[in-house]
Amino acid sequence: MLFGFTLSLMVVELCRYAHSPFPCIKRCGDAIKCDISVGDGCTTVLTTQASTKVYKSVESKCSEQVLEARIGSDALLAVIPDPVTCFSTAKYSQTQVFKVFPSSSLLIVDWITSGRYGRGEKWDFELYKSTNNIFLDADEPLFLDTILLEQGRYSSIAERMQDYQVIAMVILLGPKLKFIQDQIQENVKNLMSQQLRIPSGSSGRYGDIDDNRFFTRPSFLASCSVFGPKGRGVVVRIAAMTTESVYSFLQCQLSGLDSLLGVAPYR
């Protein structure tokens, strides 16, 4: 197996100009821009040593990160970081743009926790924005998605998120990940069928959520949907009450990738 890619990294500290290349706000905090090119037939893995921590905002500045990646023919890129953790008052925006060929394969895990929950910071940051765009043959939109969490005038992020402490998205695209796509769709279907149908009381039968007055909110929710021509890609969306449950889900569902990546993700 060949592992090869080129990487260029630009770090911009405390950019202060209105015409900044990072479109979060006119005055921005620390910013990183990363360009990656994965060669034909190669495999590249991007991961982190720990969660990405976004510290409190100073003078309302927004920290930003931009990743642009090109994945060659018959190549695989796996972006499998630990979650982003935003501290109280933090502002953070990230944009990831991927350009693929029909034979390229791509795995993206993008997730965020509620913050330093042990210190009482539950969805206490000011802004979190994450954009993931995938283009086929350089310019044909294949997947366009943005998650935006922002404190509102009439409701906070914590109020809208209820008891959930983690939200996550997993994107699987391309021929090398087809077996994982099929597996994860079936597993999520079975998992949610068990969680969203509960005993209806004394009869011992199972009933729908709306039919049971004693229903409690599931601690883990997941959904799957396909995208692209002929359903070539799968996106999984997750809301969970604990970070550990998401780690366990990722470990289980992505364990079959050890033969492609050399090690199972998140193990």
Side-chain angles (χ1 to χ4, degrees), residues 45-171:
V45 179
L46 292 182
T47 187
T48 54
Q49 294 180 319
S51 62
T52 298
K53 298 173 180 63
V54 183
Y55 298 105
K56 65 180 182 179
S57 174
V58 177
E59 299 178 359
S60 296
K61 294 175 183 177
C62 180
S63 298
E64 302 179 76
Q65 179 170 286
V66 175
L67 170 65
E68 295 185 359
R70 292 163 294 278
I71 301 97
S73 299
D74 198 36
L76 167 62
L77 172 63
V79 182
I80 47 175
D82 293 289
V84 173
T85 297
C86 293
F87 288 25
S88 177
T89 76
K91 290 185 175 182
Y92 177 71
S93 175
Q94 69 176 23
T95 301
Q96 301 186 133
V97 179
F98 304 91
K99 297 180 179 180
V100 302
F101 292 96
S103 62
S104 304
S105 296
L106 175 64
L107 167 63
I108 305 168
V109 178
D110 185 14
W111 53 321
I112 179 175
T113 72
S114 62
R116 296 183 295 179
Y117 186 79
R119 299 184 59 137
E121 296 180 5
K122 177 183 176 183
W123 304 110
D124 202 28
F125 51 85
E126 291 296 321
L127 171 73
Y128 171 83
K129 182 179 180 181
S130 179
T131 297
N132 288 280
N133 293 337
I134 305 174
F135 296 92
L136 180 63
D137 293 328
D139 59 2
E140 179 184 346
L142 188 61
F143 181 86
L144 306 175
D145 184 87
T146 295
I147 297 173
L148 175 63
L149 297 175
E150 187 173 14
Q151 301 294 353
R153 176 179 299 180
Y154 302 108
S155 65
S156 66
I157 300 172
E159 289 172 329
R160 298 193 296 270
M161 294 301 297
Q162 300 292 322
D163 296 325
Y164 294 101
Q165 306 301 319
V166 185
I167 56 173
M169 180 172 67
V170 183
I171 302 171

Side-chain angles (χ1 to χ4, degrees), residues 221-236:
L221 291 171
S223 67
C224 280
S225 57
V226 298
F227 66 90
K230 299 180 181 180
R232 68 195 309 164
V234 171
V235 57
V236 185

